[in-house]
Amino acid sequence: MGPGNLLKLALTGMTLVELLVLTLAGLVVFTRWRYTLAEAISFAIITALMALSLFLQTAFLLGFPRLAYGAEALLVSAAVIIIAKGRTDLVRVFKSLTGFVRRYPYLMVFAGIAWGYLLIQALLIPPASSHWRSLGQILFWQLIDWGETPPLGLALHEPLGPLNADILPHLMLRFQTDIGCGVFGFLAYLVVGSSTYALARRYSWPATALTVSMVVISMPRLVYHAVSPGDELLPAATALFCILAFFRALEQPNIRDLLLLVAGIFFTTAGGEMCLVLPLILLVLGCVKLVRRHG
């Protein structure tokens, strides 16, 4: 492996550390706001990805793709400060996680082996071509970022709407490598599991909620997309995030969950003719139920 490839891997590793830092900062914030652990995991991951997607899309719209580097640096700096000030909160989170594992040791061991395998595959093996919604669209934006003019044929792949989840693999692709792009699918997979548990826990005991979550995340299609760039699984995970925020706002109306619900609804839009169907359903459902319940 040449020096150039080692540099690419190092830069990709820095991006993975960036994602980890932002997620840990989110855990600190949401646990301070008295979200349950499962809710905090879902909200921390999705809000971090939404923030990164917003910065990348804004930089591209302004015509300065490299502007995203500065925004990311500021975001990570703020996250490091939050983690430093919330060390005790983070320790409590890890104690809760270890306590959960001790409560279900055999299940967690077998599940942990499977999840570890998926994580290694997501980090080290480039996603298959079938995982990408449009390789032409990705290449179009990569050439613009590198200061090159895309061929006329690729102009057909220029997106007409928000990129949202589709732009996140750019965090790795900008270093001219697709290693690590599967981490976004894996993060979405974690959100599906934690959101399902948080929703099921509202109506059942922990063991039943865990069983429901295991059944859901064992579905073959979810496992298949857990090592993908997330272009299909991440919008679905964000929809679950929206439902979770909606339940919280329905139980106790507050501006924080309402803002997260609206942001999540916008983030669920993805490429394709049917991309607006789910956001419209969530928006109408949220408005009707909140008005009926709280006036």
Side-chain angles (χ1 to χ4, degrees):
M1 183 178 292
N5 290 329
L6 288 175
L7 178 60
K8 293 176 184 178
L9 289 177
L11 293 172
T12 300
M14 290 175 61
T15 302
L16 296 174
V17 171
E18 175 186 0
L19 290 170
L20 177 61
V21 169
L22 294 178
T23 301
L24 290 177
L27 280 174
V28 170
V29 171
F30 286 108
T31 50
R32 279 185 177 178
W33 288 344
R34 300 189 181 280
Y35 286 61
T36 66
L37 180 58
E39 291 173 345
I41 292 173
S42 299
F43 280 65
I45 293 174
I46 293 296
T47 51
L49 296 181
M50 284 196 296
L52 290 171
S53 177
L54 176 63
F55 289 149
L56 290 173
Q57 292 185 77
T58 302
F60 274 114
L61 286 173
L62 294 176
F64 299 101
R66 304 299 170 89
L67 190 64
Y69 288 106
E72 289 175 60
L74 292 175
L75 188 63
V76 171
S77 300
V80 170
I81 293 173
I82 291 172
I83 292 173
K85 291 184 177 180
R87 292 189 299 274
T88 55
D89 299 285
L90 208 54
V91 169
R92 283 199 296 269
V93 168
F94 286 119
K95 284 183 178 179
S96 298
L97 281 174
T98 54
F100 188 84
V101 172
R102 288 173 183 169
R103 203 175 308 149
Y104 310 100
Y106 300 110
L107 178 61
M108 289 295 103
V109 167
F110 288 111
I113 293 173
W115 296 339
Y117 170 74
L118 288 176
L119 178 60
I120 292 172
Q121 189 174 353
L123 293 177
L124 302 180
I125 301 177
S129 58
S130 58
H131 281 309
W132 300 94
R133 177 182 289 114
S134 174
L135 289 173
Q137 183 182 103
I138 296 293
L139 181 58
F140 179 89
W141 286 104
Q142 290 305 116
L143 291 175
I144 291 178
D145 188 18
W146 297 336
E148 302 177 16
T149 303
L152 293 177
L154 285 181
L156 298 174
H157 296 280
E158 183 177 2
L160 300 177
L163 289 171
N164 291 336
D166 289 343
I167 203 172
L168 289 172
H170 172 72
L171 292 169
M172 281 75 174
L173 295 172
R174 62 188 175 184
F175 304 128
Q176 301 185 24
T177 179
D178 54 359
I179 297 292
C181 286
V183 72
F184 300 107
F186 184 78
L187 290 174
Y189 181 77
L190 293 181
V191 171
V192 170
S194 57
S195 297
T196 302
Y197 180 84
L199 291 169
R201 186 65 183 87
R202 281 169 160 73
Y203 304 102
S204 61
W205 297 105
T208 305
L210 180 60
T211 302
V212 171
S213 302
M214 288 296 176
V215 170
V216 171
I217 62 176
S218 298
M219 293 179 179
R221 187 167 180 82
L222 289 182
V223 175
Y224 173 72
H225 283 284
V227 295
S228 72
D231 55 334
E232 289 190 34
L233 189 55
L234 192 50
T238 308
L240 267 177
F241 161 87
C242 292
I243 294 173
L244 193 53
F246 167 68
F247 267 79
R248 286 184 54 85
L250 198 63
E251 293 162 356
Q252 185 176 0
N254 62 90
I255 189 64
R256 182 186 302 130
D257 287 314
L258 288 174
L259 289 176
L260 289 171
L261 173 60
V262 173
I265 288 174
F266 283 112
F267 192 63
T268 56
T269 58
E273 297 177 355
M274 304 295 289
C275 68
L276 296 178
V277 174
L278 180 60
L280 287 175
I281 292 174
L282 290 172
L283 188 61
V284 173
L285 178 65
C287 292
V288 171
K289 292 297 292 182
L290 285 170
V291 169
R292 284 186 176 180
R293 175 68 65 89
H294 302 289

